[in-house]
Amino acid sequence: MVQAGLSTSREFARHLSCSRRDFLRSATGVTLGSALMCASPFVRGVVAGKKRKIIVVTFGGGARDQETFAPEGQENIPHLLHELIPQSSFFTQMVNQGILGHYVATASLATGVYETFNNFAAIPPEHPTIFEYFRKDLKRPSSDTWVVAPSNGFNRIGESDYSSYGPGTGARVILPKHLLTAAMSGTTTDYEHLLRDNYETPLYAPRLGGNEFELQQLETILKLSVDDFKTHAKTLSSPDELSMYVVRQLMRQQAPSLLWITMHDIDVAHAGAYSLYIEGIRRTDRLCGEFWKLIQSEPEYMGNTTLFILPDFGRDSDGDAGGNGFQHHRTGDPASRTTWMMALGSGVREGVIYDHPMQSTDLVPTLGAMMGFSPSLSQGRPVQELL
Ligand SMILES: [Zn+2]
């Protein structure tokens, strides 16, 4: 029985991957890559002269194909489809076999191990994070790697408690909402749309106390006064816009080589309003397009940056009796596990699509191979097409 279920899941994942592939080929004209194609040596040569930067963006809490990479969803992602994918290596079958909670799944992406801790607990990942491997092996200071995360529940994601790594050896975590709350010192009336912390369990309020960024560092690290921060925040319409504002400042002032940004607006879907979910997808699509343009215009990043965009996982399909369609990700069905990944920029072949299966845990070993560090405890395998 178990065997039969597994093969059905695999078949479903393959089917979903193929329909994504065929849709993308017809909508964007990208070509199908073979497993033997590697990144262009010419591009690699250019990169070698400048310090390489890697930025990972998680695509917002997960969206389904019918609202994104399918004929009926394409109107929601014009920037991904027409600006980014033609420049990308796109992988249509990234499977997440772990727990489908945002913190634990994002931590799994960052450790290369399917972490099994309680998603709603203020605890660090059990295994070393990419940030710890990166700093230890390449002897980088803490200013060279940062995480910007939307939810206070992500405050421990920057470093594990694994012996020989752990506190002080990973990435600092900026929680823009936490920062904004602190900046407001109590009066948050004008900013409530930017401060909603967790869409799935709104009453969960984690205890902070990790290596997070504090208000007094706004001025010293981001070179922003509290007043400027508050004034600019007032012009923004969502938490992910607030995160992107902080990211831009961080890139200009600290220019980290390894930067990790978790977007989360799409997860408003848990509230059950389809229109808000669609609005979240469209905004995330626009922010990804704007972010790629920003990378191309910042002197520290243009020409030497590889950008990865991928969801932590998807959402439930309409057909599963145990789920509630787009609203949640509770059934663990193949639709909610079979996601995608795009890589673009330095060292990446443009306009190619790959449909073979890979795992969420493959990201960390891939980044390790690209940047020259060894994520020795990660479970995944480097994606050869990016090396
Ligand atoms: Zn969610």
Side-chain angles (χ1 to χ4, degrees):
M1 253 339 258
V2 171
Q3 224 26 47
L6 198 66
S7 104
T8 311
S9 291
R10 278 206 197 114
E11 265 163 38
F12 184 93
R14 209 174 77 77
H15 172 76
L16 187 59
S17 157
C18 291
S19 50
R20 249 175 225 163
R21 178 198 67 195
D22 296 343
F23 164 68
L24 286 172
R25 289 174 76 188
S26 67
T28 69
V30 294
T31 56
L32 186 62
S34 76
L36 296 174
M37 285 168 92
C38 289
S40 157
F42 171 72
V43 182
R44 276 206 229 168
V46 173
V47 175
K50 213 173 164 187
K51 198 171 179 185
R52 185 167 205 171
K53 310 273 195 194
I54 298 238
I55 304 180
V56 176
V57 173
T58 63
F59 190 81
R64 312 183 305 176
D65 274 38
Q66 57 261 56
E67 289 91 24
T68 55
F69 295 107
E72 66 272 30
Q74 60 182 310
E75 62 183 17
N76 300 319
I77 53 165
H79 299 280
L80 292 188
L81 273 185
H82 304 300
E83 294 165 23
L84 303 190
I85 286 175
Q87 302 178 59
S88 299
S89 282
F90 192 96
F91 300 86
T92 61
Q93 195 179 168
M94 186 178 228
V95 178
N96 183 331
Q97 292 185 343
I99 300 171
L100 305 188
H102 297 293
Y103 174 44
V104 66
T106 308
S108 302
L109 279 175
T111 60
V113 177
Y114 289 119
E115 298 285 332
T116 54
F117 57 80
N118 175 3
N119 185 57
F120 298 108
I123 50 176
E126 198 180 322
H127 300 88
T129 60
I130 183 170
F131 319 107
E132 293 161 273
Y133 293 127
F134 164 76
R135 282 191 56 199
K136 190 172 193 176
D137 285 2
L138 303 182
K139 301 187 171 43
R140 299 292 176 90
S142 83
S143 58
D144 209 25
T145 181
W146 291 83
V147 178
V148 178
S151 165
N152 292 345
F154 281 61
N155 67 313
R156 307 295 298 273
I157 201 166
E159 51 201 20
S160 65
D161 57 2
Y162 197 88
S163 63
S164 76
Y165 290 92
T169 69
R172 307 279 301 282
V173 180
I174 303 187
L175 305 168
K177 290 175 195 166
H178 174 59
L179 217 50
L180 186 58
T181 308
M184 296 315 300
S185 50
T187 338
T188 56
T189 329
D190 293 339
Y191 298 88
E192 265 153 21
H193 63 295
L194 300 180
L195 293 173
R196 192 164 165 195
D197 186 54
N198 182 315
Y199 298 108
E200 190 164 16
T201 311
L203 296 179
Y204 170 60
R207 181 176 48 83
L208 294 179
N211 192 13
E212 78 261 7
F213 185 91
E214 298 293 347
L215 183 63
Q216 59 269 29
Q217 291 163 334
L218 199 62
E219 209 148 344
T220 53
I221 293 177
L222 297 186
K223 314 287 184 207
L224 271 176
S225 72
V226 170
D227 281 344
D228 285 350
F229 180 58
K230 286 195 300 192
T231 306
H232 189 84
K234 226 172 195 167
T235 69
L236 303 173
S237 61
S238 86
D240 285 347
E241 288 193 353
L242 181 68
S243 289
M244 281 302 176
Y245 169 54
V246 166
V247 163
R248 190 180 69 197
Q249 213 56 28
L250 190 63
M251 287 165 70
R252 288 182 180 162
Q253 301 303 333
Q254 301 295 319
S257 301
L258 177 59
L259 176 58
W260 187 291
I261 304 153
T262 300
M263 302 230 263
H264 206 58
D265 281 356
I266 297 171
D267 212 39
V268 71
H270 286 295
Y274 189 74
S275 60
L276 293 180
Y277 163 61
I278 295 295
E279 189 183 297
I281 294 171
R282 291 181 177 174
R283 188 185 307 112
T284 307
D285 171 71
R286 172 174 58 77
L287 289 174
C288 287
E290 288 172 5
F291 186 52
W292 180 239
K293 287 196 182 100
L294 175 73
I295 290 170
Q296 303 312 303
S297 68
E298 288 296 319
E300 290 280 346
Y301 289 87
M302 62 173 77
N304 58 328
T305 301
T306 314
L307 173 65
F308 287 79
I309 302 176
L310 71 166
D312 43 2
F313 47 78
R315 310 194 81 82
D316 295 339
S317 66
D318 286 327
D320 196 311
N324 205 6
F326 76 94
Q327 190 174 356
H328 299 304
H329 36 82
R330 291 180 178 166
T331 64
D333 70 352
S336 59
R337 296 189 174 281
T338 311
T339 66
W340 47 267
M341 178 172 83
M342 72 170 79
L344 66 164
S346 218
V348 174
R349 192 174 288 279
E350 292 190 359
V352 191
I353 191 163
Y354 300 96
D355 62 359
H356 57 78
M358 48 194 270
Q359 297 242 357
S360 297
T361 48
D362 293 340
L363 177 66
V364 165
T366 304
L367 301 186
M370 290 172 94
M371 294 191 98
F373 58 87
S374 306
S376 48
L377 288 133
S378 68
Q379 292 167 341
R381 286 182 307 199
V383 176
Q384 293 303 318
E385 294 83 358
L386 292 169
L387 304 181

